[in-house]
Amino acid sequence: MGPYESEQPIHLIWRDRLEVMKQLFANPTSDDAWEIQNQLPEGAAIILIIAASDKTPVTKHMGGLEMHPLFLTIGNIQGNIHMKATSHAWRCTAFMPIPTFIVNSDFKTLLWSHLWHKCMDLVCSNLKVAARVGEYMIDPSARLCYCFTPLISHIADLPKQSMIACITKNSSPITTATQKEFGDETPHPPWNGIDTYTCIQQLCTRVDPWDLVVFLREAKKFCLSGIMGHKLDVWFKSHHKRTGVRHFSGGVSYVNQMTGQEHRDIQHTIVLTLWDMASPGFIRAVQAMIDFIYLAQNPLHTESSIASMTQALRDFHDNKQAILDAEARQGKSGTKDNFFIPKLELMQSFARAISHVADMSEQLLITHCKHPFECTSCQRDFDPLINAVIMEDEEVASTETDPAFAWVSNANQAAQLHLQALHPIHNHFLKGILSDNARIAFNVTVKADCSHLNVSQLQSLYNISDFYHALHLYATRNGCILPGQLSFNTWMKFCIQLHSTFHACRIMLSQQIHAEPPSSNFPRGNCDVVLFNQRVDGGNDGSHVAQVQTIFQPTLPKGSRAQVAECLSQPLVYIQLFDFVVPGPKPSTGMWMSERVIRHGCIIPLTDVMHAVEIIPVYQGPLGKDVNSRNSLEVFDKYFLNNFADKELYHSLSVISDN
């Protein structure tokens, strides 16, 4: 499409419409065409062309695959016949391509419309010649007729009619009426094709049609469909893909169905994606609103959490003018200059309502503790009383989510292999590898993905030249010596499973952490990022961010009399570190910024990993065409640690930041 590229090659599947029309005309169902032919000069016939087109999704809930067929019939067939699908009076003549152009979202519709007309010109080329000069055809009685093929109707919905007529949505596709005149009782003059063609000619003499910015601006002056989300789409598409996390591979401007789930998925990363695109006040307003939403979903509230909610709402109101200044508050009629939103006013009452609930805890202490205790023998043996209170607390807690799932997740873990929810939850605490405090479970498959690799093979496979040096430092730090003839088993992923930070007895869904070596699909490897807590190479104790490059376990050859030290007899991970940029979280985002330590690798036990995390590149300036979701964790210098990746991580990082 001129200088503009599409994500995939453009394929048009089509049949010559003239040949299709000849088949329809020769079909015996077209006897009524003779009624028209009898009224025409001898030797001539008119075949009335009726076209139809529409776009429809062919996948449900996933895939986003759409088809755009074109159909054709002739008006010489009786209406009651060609209105029946079983009469086969309609023929499919083409499947229009629906490409995704790598261009500003404001221009995607323009390019797609241009492509549609170009394809129609190809599909109907012979039919247009027959309409102008005529064509000899065989009728149902096998006689040769001289026929003309004018297009008398194209059946489509209103948006498609506007696209076919090349006019904007605030103008009529068939008359000269504009939006302000739609309610007039007097019919307006028809808008003919020659009128549109004349406007396009005048427009193209003034501006280059491939200069889309100028062309779009000038086209609107003619009410033509010259058909800031492009940069946002590009950055969303470049996010690193993580298992179990929604990735907007097509951007967010053209999501087919924007449901509550899409809003939740977008809010996970929208704050950091807006960096360098919107003003600090704009970003701070969005971040404050998402802070409020996350805090409001806490299952338990304290005075400090209520104060945080109140402050988040106050921060939003202090910065919301930046959203209006950027004209980002949009409605059906265009830009809005206010926040007259009932739900926004309702949020003012949430903190007060929760406060009343929190105050009830004082009353519950009396009704659930003091009064029951006074009815007992007033002994120090509180077990019966405590059991009764705990049972009631768990019963109440189970109403916060799906009651059946909450009940099962609070059952005896040792008796549960799978915790059944909408999706089965594997309980890795039964047979997995446990952290020192038994609050985190890890799982790797019994059979490694690669077995018995020597040091050179491992370093070559994963492209990590300092692996053996890092292993030597790890062994020295733990007071052991590396035996000779070591080989290594490696895995490309492991699972990590946590207890809820809000409900200590509730097990969360496990998360996959990938550490795949470089390949054709991932030239630099597909490696996820984690949070861990350990003293690293003489550094300070605390939380660190790192990218997992390799998951491995040292082994010895069969028959070897040497022994592997305890610190080496467990799964280990080779990681590359990110350093936090001081002095702390960025004020506009409330999130820590980190930067990669120049290819500095180290080794830690798998059990030191605390949480799977997400980092988002610090976008600055235009994004290169070679940057995508497969390499975005490798080509940037600085990254944000995303607090909003999930509610559990949000709470954990808040605690870490406070500390």
Side-chain angles (χ1 to χ4, degrees), residues 17 38 63 107 168 175 194 207 218 220 225 269 288 334 337 368 451 469 505 514 533 539 551 593 612 619 649 651:
R17 280 197 163 189
N38 291 334
F107 307 139
T168 56
T175 72
I194 189 62
V207 298
E218 294 297 320
K220 291 181 178 179
S225 59
T269 54
D337 60 355
H368 284 62
S451 301
H469 175 70
C505 55
H514 290 262
N533 194 3
I551 310 158
M593 186 183 290
Y619 296 107
L649 181 63
H651 179 77

Side-chain angles (χ1 to χ4, degrees), residues 61 236 239 242 244-249 251-252 255 257-273 290 293-294 297 614 616 642 644-647:
H61 309 302
F236 261 102
H239 290 170
R242 298 168 58 215
V245 178
R246 171 74 176 272
H247 182 266
F248 290 92
S249 57
V252 295
V255 176
Q257 293 182 332
M258 187 64 74
T259 65
Q261 182 62 53
E262 276 68 36
H263 285 137
R264 287 191 293 272
D265 293 334
I266 290 172
Q267 79 179 8
H268 292 327
T269 54
I270 185 64
V271 172
L272 300 180
T273 311
I290 299 178
I293 293 171
Y294 274 49
Q297 295 179 68
E614 180 180 38
I616 303 293
N642 185 14
F644 294 136
D646 61 68
K647 292 192 289 290

Side-chain angles (χ1 to χ4, degrees), residues 343-376:
K343 289 185 179 179
L344 186 59
E345 192 279 332
L346 187 61
M347 290 180 181
Q348 303 285 358
S349 305
F350 282 169
R352 184 172 66 253
I354 294 174
S355 178
H356 291 322
V357 175
D359 290 342
M360 281 296 295
S361 62
E362 299 294 333
Q363 182 65 23
L364 291 173
L365 287 175
I366 297 174
T367 59
H368 284 62
C369 297
K370 293 182 179 180
H371 287 172
F373 181 74
E374 291 172 355
C375 297
T376 67

Side-chain angles (χ1 to χ4, degrees), residues 174-188:
I174 58 176
T175 72
T176 58
T178 58
Q179 187 174 24
K180 295 181 179 180
E181 301 166 327
F182 285 170
D184 294 354
E185 60 182 50
T186 304
H188 287 261

Side-chain angles (χ1 to χ4, degrees), residues 239-538:
H239 290 170
H240 175 68
K241 292 183 179 180
R242 298 168 58 215
T243 301
V245 178
R246 171 74 176 272
H247 182 266
F248 290 92
S249 57
V252 295
S253 297
Y254 283 86
V255 176
N256 288 338
Q257 293 182 332
M258 187 64 74
T259 65
Q261 182 62 53
E262 276 68 36
H263 285 137
R264 287 191 293 272
D265 293 334
I266 290 172
Q267 79 179 8
H268 292 327
T269 54
I270 185 64
V271 172
L272 300 180
T273 311
L274 287 172
W275 181 263
D276 194 45
M277 187 184 307
S279 66
F282 189 114
I283 298 175
R284 179 62 185 136
V286 176
Q287 184 251 336
M289 180 54 64
I290 299 178
D291 269 331
F292 181 89
I293 293 171
Y294 274 49
L295 290 167
Q297 295 179 68
N298 283 0
L300 300 174
H301 284 282
T302 62
E303 291 184 0
S304 61
S305 67
I306 295 172
S308 298
M309 287 181 61
T310 304
Q311 182 60 48
L313 199 58
R314 186 180 300 116
D315 290 343
F316 169 78
H317 286 289
D318 290 343
N319 293 276
K320 65 183 181 183
Q321 185 59 40
I323 298 177
L324 300 180
D325 294 342
E327 298 184 348
R329 170 97 166 97
Q330 297 286 327
K332 292 183 179 180
S333 58
T335 304
K336 292 188 175 183
D337 60 355
N338 61 74
F339 276 98
F340 299 156
I341 304 174
K343 289 185 179 179
L344 186 59
E345 192 279 332
L346 187 61
M347 290 180 181
Q348 303 285 358
S349 305
F350 282 169
R352 184 172 66 253
I354 294 174
S355 178
H356 291 322
V357 175
D359 290 342
M360 281 296 295
S361 62
E362 299 294 333
Q363 182 65 23
L364 291 173
L365 287 175
I366 297 174
T367 59
H368 284 62
C369 297
K370 293 182 179 180
H371 287 172
F373 181 74
E374 291 172 355
C375 297
T376 67
S377 58
C378 299
Q379 300 297 317
R380 292 184 178 273
D381 183 12
F382 297 148
D383 288 347
L385 179 61
I386 292 174
N387 289 337
V389 173
I390 290 177
M391 288 178 64
E392 182 167 353
D393 287 344
E394 291 182 352
E395 182 179 354
V396 172
S398 69
T399 63
E400 293 170 359
T401 55
D402 176 37
F405 172 49
W407 182 88
V408 174
S409 65
N410 284 289
N412 182 12
Q413 298 172 10
Q416 297 296 326
L417 179 60
H418 292 81
L419 304 181
Q420 298 293 334
L422 294 178
H423 301 284
I425 298 180
H426 292 269
N427 187 354
H428 295 303
F429 284 89
L430 293 177
K431 296 182 180 180
I433 305 167
L434 300 184
S435 62
D436 293 339
N437 61 3
R439 299 292 302 164
I440 306 175
F442 304 88
N443 178 264
V444 294
T445 56
V446 175
K447 183 179 179 181
D449 294 303
C450 297
S451 301
H452 307 299
L453 300 176
N454 59 38
V455 171
S456 298
Q457 289 173 330
L458 190 150
Q459 291 185 152
S460 175
L461 177 63
Y462 287 90
N463 192 25
I464 45 176
S465 58
D466 67 337
F467 170 79
Y468 190 77
H469 175 70
L471 183 62
H472 178 75
L473 290 178
Y474 171 77
T476 303
R477 191 168 65 244
N478 287 273
C480 62
I481 300 176
L482 292 176
Q485 297 182 338
L486 267 183
S487 61
F488 303 90
N489 297 333
T490 65
W491 291 265
M492 295 187 184
K493 65 182 178 182
F494 69 89
C495 292
I496 180 173
Q497 189 169 41
L498 308 172
H499 284 273
S500 171
T501 56
F502 300 109
H503 296 285
C505 55
R506 182 167 299 168
I507 297 174
M508 306 304 297
L509 283 167
S510 62
Q511 295 176 289
Q512 285 188 3
I513 310 296
H514 290 262
E516 300 176 12
S519 63
S520 57
N521 289 332
F522 297 93
R524 302 191 184 186
N526 180 26
C527 302
D528 291 331
V529 181
V530 297
L531 189 71
F532 70 98
N533 194 3
Q534 194 206 41
R535 181 185 294 273
V536 178
D537 293 346

